Amino acid sequence: LKLHLSVGARYPKALSDLESKAIRMVNSTNTVTDTGSTTKVAAAKAAVSSLPYHRILGYIEYHHLHWCLLDTQFLCFENSELNHAEKPPPPPILALICLVGLELSGCFLVDHCSLPSSTKSVSRKPPSHHTHRSQTLPLDLVAEQLSATPELLHWYLTQIFLHKPEVYVKFPNTAVPPRAVTDLHRTHLELHIKYAVDTADKKRKLSDIPSFDDADAETPLLAFLKAALPHGGTRPDDIRRMLEVCREGQTNSTSQGIGEVRHPHLFARELAYVIEHCGSDKKEDARMILQLYLEGAKSLPLAVGYAQRNKTYSAMLWDSLITYCLDPKPQAARSRARGKRKGPIDKKEDGSLFGALLEASARSGADLAHLVSKIPKGMQIEGLRPRLIAAISDYKIKVQMHEAAVRVLNKDKIDLIRELSHKSRRGVRIVFDEHGVYSSKRTDTAIDSNSSAGPAPVLASARKSKIEALSLIEEKGQRLYVHPERTGVIRSKALAIR
């Protein structure tokens, strides 16, 4: 194993290629899906035939040599000719990745990853007993070996986040994650920001309505923020400052207006998510989020969805959204200032933008009548009638779905009430005699509505006189106040006490 790993450690050109390939793999990843996991395994199996050293993974698993990969001095030879001249020995994990490639090494590292170890010292002696293979490569020790290559560390943490979140972002047995995990969260966030690429939002037009799948797609950084922010590894204020600095293209944290940023499309969705879920819930923050969705992400469905979610400033957000779509002069002026647009404003563009707003509002279930009433006279909206007909049809389908769900709910409620009533009537009747001794008897058949005897035994016990009932209560040391106008109360109370 040592000789094989030394072969992989002597490929400097292969390492540079792996680093660039790792960044491409991370940036092409969206959300966690079963299909993505299956594709990952299939790609790894397809790459087996083209790699001559893939059997080394089987050697490690069969002989339980995982402890060798955790020893940073494992590739240090006694013979000076095999050692690296004036350089520390390369990490075994890095040599393994260079030897077998990203696909196979990714599957191997994910399958054998475990929670961070309690101590940093690793013994070179083999374990005395067979340990479970899912607990052989602690997360923090592997990340420590890959810290010299940030690209591969970014790739490794992303693979763990996607395919084994129970050791990185989901902890079913504890509410407070380990300190080593939160430190890795901060490092992973910095790597996400450093190696992020431009998204498709830069070339998208605001009037283009994406499909449902494209609208729900998340960037790797956004998916990581949703999972890592609740654990407190990074403060939301620090994340917001870092994202704003990147958008402004500066090296300091001096804030500028949203229209003065140098890269308005960069980290627009991520910044909007941080402000919405971890902000101060002020009116300025609500307006900033709306502008991020409109000018940064260039997505009307996201802007409409936020206006629907925000109940505090919903009216203000809808007014701003309608005004923005009706009057594109401010955005045209900003485009001219950046040198990206010339010439007068076309009226057809105004109509297409408002038509896209109608379509996005119909998807989210907004009030279309209010939007139609805001259409000014003389505005030309292409395809207005088909859009309204499609919106009404979708609304009818949603109403039918809700009605069907209500019918199912009512049926389940009636079934539960019947079951509760049936069980509550299967009680035990307790009858006191004159000496205070009581006897119990099942009342299943007596209370049955189909029984010929009917509820006579229960009613007979309730037809005792008022004096006998009061004397029985006084013997038990209890007092009962009876209102003179409430007839029959004493009988029910006496029956309940018995």
Side-chain angles (χ1 to χ4, degrees):
L1 178 62
K2 182 184 295 186
L3 292 174
H4 278 89
L5 292 181
S6 63
V7 173
R10 297 175 181 272
Y11 286 152
K13 294 183 179 180
L15 179 60
S16 59
D17 295 338
L18 287 176
E19 290 176 350
S20 58
K21 183 179 179 180
I23 295 300
R24 290 195 301 268
M25 291 176 62
V26 171
N27 292 328
S28 62
T29 305
N30 289 330
T31 54
V32 182
T33 56
D34 296 335
T35 306
S37 179
T38 306
T39 306
K40 172 178 173 291
V41 175
K45 292 181 178 180
V48 168
S49 59
S50 60
L51 295 174
Y53 298 103
H54 65 275
R55 294 182 179 85
I56 192 174
L57 301 178
Y59 300 156
I60 296 174
E61 292 181 352
Y62 183 77
H63 297 285
H64 309 293
L65 300 177
H66 305 83
W67 60 274
C68 299
L69 299 177
L70 300 178
D71 188 4
T72 56
Q73 301 296 325
F74 181 67
L75 296 182
C76 183
F77 293 90
E78 297 179 359
N79 188 358
S80 59
E81 295 180 358
L82 298 177
N83 286 328
H84 294 263
E86 298 181 358
K87 290 183 180 181
I93 298 293
L94 182 60
L96 179 66
I97 295 175
C98 295
L99 189 65
V100 300
L102 290 177
E103 289 80 5
L104 289 180
S105 60
C107 294
F108 178 80
L109 295 176
V110 169
D111 293 339
H112 299 278
C113 180
S114 64
L115 289 172
S117 59
S118 58
T119 58
K120 297 295 183 181
S121 61
V122 181
S123 176
R124 293 192 60 181
K125 297 181 180 180
S128 59
H129 62 280
H130 174 68
T131 57
H132 197 272
R133 293 179 180 177
S134 62
Q135 301 177 358
T136 50
L137 295 177
L139 176 64
D140 56 339
L141 298 182
V142 178
E144 184 180 359
Q145 293 191 25
L146 296 178
S147 58
T149 54
E151 295 87 352
L152 293 181
L153 177 61
H154 185 28
W155 163 80
Y156 170 70
L157 294 177
T158 304
Q159 295 299 313
I160 299 298
F161 169 71
L162 293 178
H163 305 289
K164 206 165 189 178
E166 61 271 12
V167 300
Y168 193 49
V169 292
K170 294 181 181 179
F171 306 96
N173 299 326
T174 179
V176 181
R179 179 66 179 273
V181 173
T182 55
D183 294 341
L184 288 176
H185 286 176
R186 287 190 289 270
T187 304
H188 200 184
L189 174 64
E190 296 175 357
L191 294 174
H192 267 296
I193 296 176
K194 180 179 179 180
Y195 295 107
V197 295
D198 293 341
T199 59
D201 299 338
K202 183 177 181 180
K203 300 180 180 180
R204 181 186 301 168
K205 294 182 179 180
L206 187 59
S207 58
D208 297 338
I209 302 297
S211 61
F212 287 99
D213 295 337
D214 295 339
D216 296 337
E218 297 177 352
T219 60
L221 177 56
L222 182 58
F224 174 75
L225 289 177
K226 289 183 178 181
L229 270 180
H231 298 297
T234 54
R235 296 180 55 188
D237 296 338
D238 297 338
I239 299 176
R240 180 175 179 177
R241 178 181 56 81
M242 294 169 61
L243 296 179
E244 288 178 349
V245 167
C246 294
R247 287 168 53 82
E248 293 169 1
Q250 301 177 0
T251 57
N252 53 16
S253 58
T254 305
S255 300
Q256 298 180 1
I258 186 65
E260 301 175 359
V261 296
R262 185 176 300 178
H263 309 288
H265 63 281
L266 190 62
F267 302 128
R269 297 188 182 186
E270 293 81 0
L271 183 58
Y273 175 82
V274 173
I275 298 175
E276 180 179 358
H277 292 82
C278 305
S280 57
D281 197 15
K282 295 182 180 179
K283 184 181 294 186
E284 292 77 9
D285 291 342
R287 289 178 177 174
M288 184 177 182
I289 294 173
L290 186 64
Q291 288 185 349
L292 284 171
Y293 285 140
L294 291 176
E295 299 184 2
K298 295 182 180 180
S299 176
L300 279 177
L302 294 177
V304 171
Y306 174 69
Q308 288 285 97
R309 291 193 306 269
N310 195 329
K311 303 300 181 182
T312 306
Y313 307 107
S314 180
M316 182 269 295
L317 292 175
W318 273 110
D319 292 340
S320 302
L321 188 58
I322 293 173
T323 304
Y324 187 92
C325 294
L326 286 177
D327 187 13
K329 293 182 180 180
Q331 56 180 333
R334 286 189 290 269
S335 299
R336 291 192 186 93
R338 291 192 292 264
K340 295 182 179 180
R341 177 176 175 177
K342 298 181 180 180
I345 302 172
D346 191 4
K347 293 184 178 180
K348 291 185 178 180
E349 183 179 357
D350 303 354
S352 63
L353 189 58
F354 197 84
L357 177 62
L358 290 174
E359 184 176 352
S361 303
R363 286 187 178 184
S364 61
D367 187 9
L368 291 181
H370 177 68
L371 295 178
V372 172
S373 63
K374 295 293 183 178
I375 300 177
K377 295 182 178 180
M379 174 175 286
Q380 299 179 2
I381 301 179
E382 185 178 358
L384 177 60
R385 181 183 177 89
R387 289 179 178 179
L388 293 179
I389 293 176
I392 294 174
S393 301
D394 294 342
Y395 178 76
K396 289 182 178 180
I397 294 175
K398 291 179 181 179
V399 169
Q400 293 176 2
M401 293 172 60
H402 283 287
E403 291 177 352
V406 168
R407 287 195 298 268
V408 173
L409 179 62
N410 291 334
K411 185 179 181 302
D412 293 342
K413 187 191 300 183
I414 292 173
D415 294 340
L416 291 176
I417 291 176
R418 287 177 178 174
E419 183 179 359
L420 179 62
S421 177
H422 175 70
K423 291 183 177 181
S424 62
R425 295 174 66 180
R426 294 175 58 86
V428 178
R429 179 163 57 90
I430 300 176
V431 181
F432 286 90
D433 56 5
E434 57 183 3
H435 301 289
V437 181
Y438 65 90
S439 61
S440 61
K441 182 180 180 181
R442 298 292 299 180
T443 60
D444 300 1
T445 58
I447 303 179
D448 191 3
S449 59
N450 298 328
S451 177
S452 59
V458 179
L459 296 179
S461 63
R463 293 195 185 104
K464 290 189 176 182
S465 61
K466 180 178 180 180
I467 299 175
E468 293 177 354
L470 288 176
S471 62
L472 178 62
I473 294 173
E474 290 176 356
E475 290 177 1
K476 297 298 180 181
Q478 301 178 2
R479 293 292 183 268
L480 179 64
Y481 173 76
V482 182
H483 197 277
E485 297 180 358
R486 297 179 62 183
T487 59
V489 175
I490 187 63
R491 295 183 178 180
S492 60
K493 292 290 183 179
L495 183 60
I497 291 174
R498 291 171 190 148

